Amino acid sequence: MNKKYRKALIVGNWKMNMLPSEVKGYVAALRGLLPRQKTCDIAVCAPYVAIPALIRAARDTRLGIGAQDVSAHEGGAYTGEVSAAMLSDLGLKYCIAGHSECRRYHNERSHNVNEKVVALVNEGITPIVCVGETEIERSRSLTLDHISYQVKAALADLTGAQVRRCVIAYEPIWAIGTGKTATAEQAQEICCHIRSVIRKEYGARIARAVCILYGGSMNADNAAELLAMPDIDGGLIGSASLRPEEFAKIIAATAQEEATA
């Protein structure tokens, strides 16, 4: 990553894991493993029911807290949904929008993602906007067009200042939970493309400032190589973030990248 313009960000996505009763022990274990040198920002996006426990457990740590999804609606008769204002009232700093699993299982479309991004930005919460291609789309050379559309659609109607506050996470769908990982060069190519899309739409200054994460099975073994790429500013970590030891090693890899930069 280019530390002249951006700070590294490592985000854990617990998905539908971690009971509220398990959170305190997790945070205690992670706290003891974190490197003293603060080379990156750290966050965990937890299931709604675990968020209060995470807030309590992380009170005296540098762990940012986020949600995994949000409603596009401000309030009203939407049973089971949680608004951006509710997340803001809890003091949350981050929220994922447009994760591939939400797009797949909840039939979420790009305009829905945009509505959620706008709602989050309006509440002062940093959206972590997920984009990515399937294996079929990659095999048919549709990756760049598909990613371009997802980025532009998700950020539609935002000002440059608002885009600057967003985080983009590239998650190749074919690499999520499969054990497959894009090579560092493949990940860099797409993250560079994402930045070029933002540059074309909002200008070079905004593009340089936007944090772009890689979200395709980053782990302790490949983190340093991925983070050494100029346009990869951190990771959106799935299953590895459930294990404090491995999550801490990924966080520590930001220091290794800094040492070799």
Side-chain angles (χ1 to χ4, degrees):
M1 68 167 292
N2 190 331
K3 291 183 180 292
K4 179 179 178 181
Y5 299 109
R6 302 176 296 278
K7 187 175 182 180
L9 172 64
I10 302 296
V11 181
N13 175 18
W14 285 351
K15 304 193 179 186
M16 199 172 70
N17 296 290
M18 197 71 65
L19 299 176
S21 59
E22 298 173 322
V23 170
K24 184 177 180 180
Y26 172 94
V27 173
L30 181 62
R31 185 203 302 258
L33 295 165
L34 290 178
R36 291 184 179 180
Q37 188 180 8
K38 298 179 180 180
T39 57
C40 68
D41 290 330
I42 310 165
V44 167
C45 292
Y48 292 134
V49 296
I51 289 172
L54 185 55
I55 291 172
R56 291 192 297 271
R59 186 169 289 121
D60 298 323
T61 73
R62 55 192 180 97
L63 190 65
I65 300 170
Q68 298 173 359
D69 197 10
V70 67
S71 175
H73 304 290
E74 293 183 5
Y78 300 101
T79 301
E81 297 200 38
V82 175
S83 72
M86 293 173 179
L87 300 180
S88 177
D89 195 58
L90 286 174
L92 267 61
K93 187 173 181 180
Y94 301 96
C95 182
I96 297 171
H99 193 279
S100 61
E101 290 160 359
C102 292
R103 293 178 191 259
R104 177 183 178 185
Y105 300 131
H106 302 164
N107 199 34
E108 192 170 81
R109 297 293 183 255
S110 289
H111 71 274
N112 304 126
V113 177
N114 173 248
E115 291 169 346
K116 293 180 178 186
V117 170
V118 170
L120 291 167
V121 168
N122 287 340
E123 287 294 336
I125 297 172
T126 298
I128 300 172
V129 185
C130 297
V131 298
E133 83 282 17
T134 64
E135 194 164 9
I136 291 176
E137 287 163 341
R138 172 164 280 272
S139 68
R140 295 179 179 175
S141 301
L142 297 173
T143 296
L144 298 185
D145 288 340
H146 184 66
I147 296 293
S148 296
Y149 171 74
Q150 286 187 317
V151 171
K152 288 189 282 189
L155 302 180
D157 300 322
L158 296 185
T159 66
Q162 289 173 324
V163 169
R164 188 172 186 152
R165 292 162 47 198
C166 295
V167 172
I168 309 296
Y170 168 53
E171 45 160 17
I173 297 170
W174 49 270
I176 299 175
T178 63
K180 298 179 181 178
T181 307
T183 65
E185 291 73 21
Q186 287 174 322
Q188 163 60 20
E189 177 190 9
I190 305 305
C191 291
C192 179
H193 176 70
I194 291 170
R195 203 174 303 282
S196 72
V197 172
I198 297 172
R199 184 183 301 111
K200 185 175 180 179
E201 296 292 318
Y202 299 96
R205 182 176 296 180
I206 301 301
R208 284 196 301 264
V210 172
C211 182
I212 300 177
L213 311 182
Y214 175 68
S217 298
M218 183 183 284
N219 55 50
D221 294 329
N222 62 25
E225 182 183 11
L226 287 162
L227 292 169
M229 297 292 108
D231 289 294
I232 299 178
D233 306 316
L236 180 61
I237 315 301
S239 59
S241 71
L242 295 168
R243 300 183 290 276
E245 297 82 1
E246 184 159 5
F247 194 40
K249 289 179 181 178
I250 296 171
I251 293 166
T254 61
Q256 296 175 35
E257 187 276 325
E258 185 174 70
T260 59

